[in-house]
Amino acid sequence: MTNTPDKTIPWALLQRYKMIESLLLWDRRLQIQTLMTFFSISRQMASKDFNSYSKLHLENIDQYCRKENSYLPSNNFIPYYISENPDDFLSKISEIRDIAFPNKTGLLSSTPTIKRYIIPGVIPSLLNSIQTNQVIEINYGSSTSPKGSIRRIHPHHLIKASTRLHVRAYCETKKDFRDFNLSRILETPVLVRESHRKADDDTKWNLNIKLKLVPNPQFNEDEKELIRKEFTLKSERLDIAINVALLNYFI
């Protein structure tokens, strides 16, 4: 967590505060209806919880957007009850699926993963930059500059690839669209100015191709059939649409 929450907050209310911040951070908006649905509470209760959160952390709420019927996060949004780790948000969303499967047996295991560290403030700054169309200045470490070098980038999307989280952005130094590993951003980014670069300018991002995946032609027919069953192939091939910028991650 970025800050230590008040330990006097009741547990149930704390869960709703966490959901409020998760939605403001990751979905970039909050609708009262979402709280009502997720927690099975009345509109009156959901509104009361949101107003309570707003009084505690008024600086995190920007305004109410009538067009989207949503509350928006402020430019200086700082989470108090959640971490900025995307896996935490994904696990929260998975709880919705768990409601449909209450009789878990604990037989499902998973392999260990090595998480990559992202310094606090990086994700909110990047999401804010994307939402407000701002150039952002980062100190970025690389094999040629392990201690970091200053880059000014124009972000337009975050990309989750395996255990890595990247930002797709135009780099003023390289004069091209690149992917930047968030774990190699060494300091909290700083907003600089309004960006004149759009996602529409990113050729690879907007170039969609269709991959045709087939069983290895060197396999015999029985081996090919096994592959088809494994991947539920209804024909000789599996067509997957993907944009070129994500191709290497998929492969």
Side-chain angles (χ1 to χ4, degrees):
M1 297 181 184
T2 305
N3 296 276
T4 303
D6 186 350
K7 294 182 179 180
T8 64
I9 297 174
W11 182 88
L13 181 58
L14 181 60
Q15 304 316 302
R16 297 198 280 273
Y17 281 179
K18 288 181 178 181
M19 179 56 74
I20 288 172
E21 289 195 338
S22 294
L23 292 168
L24 286 172
L25 175 60
W26 290 104
D27 201 34
R28 311 305 292 167
R29 62 177 185 168
L30 168 67
Q31 295 182 326
I32 297 299
Q33 182 65 43
T34 304
L35 296 178
M36 294 168 57
T37 302
F38 188 83
F39 294 105
S40 299
I41 57 178
S42 67
R43 177 171 291 278
Q44 181 180 6
M45 178 62 73
S47 296
K48 180 181 178 181
D49 292 339
F50 175 75
N51 291 334
S52 171
Y53 176 87
S54 299
K55 288 180 181 179
L56 287 173
H57 310 292
L58 182 61
E59 72 282 1
N60 275 352
I61 311 297
D62 184 12
Q63 60 184 340
Y64 182 79
C65 178
R66 293 186 179 277
K67 183 179 179 181
E68 295 188 15
N69 192 29
S70 306
Y71 292 93
L72 306 180
S74 70
N75 290 343
N76 301 316
F77 177 87
I78 297 176
Y80 285 83
Y81 308 102
I82 63 171
S83 76
E84 296 167 15
N85 187 330
D87 290 335
D88 291 348
F89 176 66
L90 293 174
S91 66
K92 173 62 69 177
I93 294 304
S94 72
E95 291 178 11
I96 300 175
R97 303 189 192 99
D98 291 342
I99 293 173
F101 304 99
N103 299 318
K104 293 181 288 184
T105 62
L107 297 179
L108 178 63
S109 298
S110 60
T111 57
T113 57
I114 302 176
K115 293 186 177 181
R116 296 166 189 262
Y117 179 69
I118 300 174
I119 66 171
V122 166
I123 289 177
S125 297
L126 288 172
L127 291 174
N128 185 39
S129 170
I130 293 170
Q131 185 180 34
T132 59
N133 194 35
Q134 296 280 314
V135 178
I136 200 165
E137 187 173 274
I138 61 174
N139 184 13
Y140 191 71
S142 64
S143 57
T144 55
S145 302
K147 292 186 177 181
S149 63
I150 301 300
R151 307 277 192 100
R152 288 191 172 183
I153 63 174
H154 305 236
H156 64 74
H157 279 87
L158 294 188
I159 302 168
K160 191 175 190 306
S162 186
T163 62
R164 296 194 306 271
L165 198 65
H166 299 255
V167 60
R168 182 76 177 172
Y170 179 83
C171 176
E172 293 187 357
T173 301
K174 299 297 184 179
K175 301 188 183 306
D176 194 10
F177 284 93
R178 299 289 180 96
D179 293 343
F180 296 88
N181 184 343
L182 267 58
S183 295
R184 294 191 175 185
I185 296 178
L186 307 179
E187 299 173 5
T188 303
V190 178
L191 293 177
V192 178
R193 63 176 186 276
E194 185 177 355
S195 172
H196 59 276
R197 296 283 180 175
K198 310 285 186 182
D200 292 343
D201 302 324
D202 190 345
T203 303
K204 289 184 177 179
W205 187 264
N206 293 286
L207 180 59
N208 294 311
I209 62 172
K210 184 172 289 186
L211 299 180
K212 303 181 188 300
L213 305 182
V214 299
N216 191 328
Q218 296 181 357
F219 287 172
N220 63 41
E221 190 54 37
D222 288 341
E223 291 170 328
K224 290 180 181 178
E225 182 61 22
L226 180 62
I227 296 297
R228 294 189 195 103
K229 289 180 179 179
E230 183 177 354
F231 293 96
T232 61
L233 299 181
K234 296 181 180 179
S235 63
E236 287 295 320
R237 74 186 192 202
L238 177 64
D239 294 336
I240 295 181
I242 189 171
N243 74 45
V244 174
L246 300 178
L247 184 58
N248 285 339
Y249 297 129
F250 178 76
I251 293 176

